Amino acid sequence: MRTRIVSWGVLLDKDARLALDTVTSELVTNAVRHTHKPTLTVAVYVSVPLRRVLVEVYDGSITLPRRRRAGADAESGRGLELIEHLALAHGAERTERGKRVWAELALPEQPVTRRQLMAVPRRAIRAVLRALPRPRQSPIQPPFAPGSTRPRTAA
């Protein structure tokens, strides 16, 4: 999954890679473990402007995932808790052929590419303006500008 996203030109930092790998692994593992149907589909959608990635797993079971209490020595039962901590949002719903389980994750800020700049000139102008140093303003502002009316003071 991560390789596919990177092949699209999306940059992932260490935190995003960890969250993406962990959440995808949990969603797919739960689908494989808890369904007896041969159908399993994984979909991924990326929105660079929103800095989000959506991972969806479809399987043939209609049983929705539920949170379990895992004992201290238990080797499983913490998947939904991990997803809750790593994802911005997550959920599950029944479909015509089973269920869809999904999680939305944050992406790090992405650099603007040359292609994006060429496609949207306004974006290029904004990127250039952001890169320019901002003029410093004096911390002391005059009480009034020449030619304007003098501000009233409370008496």
Side-chain angles (χ1 to χ4, degrees):
M1 182 75 56
R2 179 178 8 140
T3 306
R4 173 65 63 186
I5 292 172
V6 170
S7 76
W8 294 336
V10 177
L11 299 179
L12 299 173
D13 61 10
K14 183 179 173 185
D15 293 336
R17 284 192 307 268
L18 176 66
L20 182 64
D21 291 348
T22 304
V23 168
T24 302
S25 174
E26 287 299 327
L27 293 177
V28 171
T29 300
N30 286 344
V32 169
R33 178 176 275 171
H34 298 291
T35 188
H36 303 293
K37 310 270 179 155
T39 305
L40 177 71
T41 304
V42 179
V44 61
Y45 304 94
V46 173
S47 173
V48 173
L50 296 177
R51 294 178 40 204
R52 300 286 186 266
V53 60
L54 175 66
V55 178
E56 298 177 325
V57 177
Y58 296 85
D59 67 54
S61 171
I62 61 168
T63 305
L64 296 177
R66 60 182 175 80
R67 196 167 186 185
R68 296 177 17 199
R69 290 189 181 205
D73 296 334
E75 293 183 12
S76 64
R78 294 178 187 84
L80 280 178
E81 188 173 346
L82 280 171
I83 291 169
E84 285 176 6
H85 287 289
L86 296 173
L88 297 170
H90 67 93
E93 61 193 14
R94 289 188 176 91
T95 64
E96 291 179 14
R97 295 185 176 142
K99 72 174 171 287
R100 167 186 170 251
V101 182
W102 59 273
E104 184 178 333
L105 305 165
L107 289 174
E109 189 164 339
Q110 302 293 307
V112 178
T113 65
R114 176 178 271 164
R115 179 182 290 172
Q116 291 169 325
L117 292 176
M118 301 284 282
V120 185
R122 279 179 274 144
R123 186 172 185 171
I125 292 168
R126 285 193 304 264
V128 169
L129 290 174
R130 276 195 306 268
L132 293 175
R134 304 224 171 180
R136 290 188 50 136
Q137 292 184 346
S138 171
I140 301 172
Q141 296 296 321
F144 64 95
S148 68
T149 60
R150 190 174 197 98
R152 294 184 190 186
T153 56

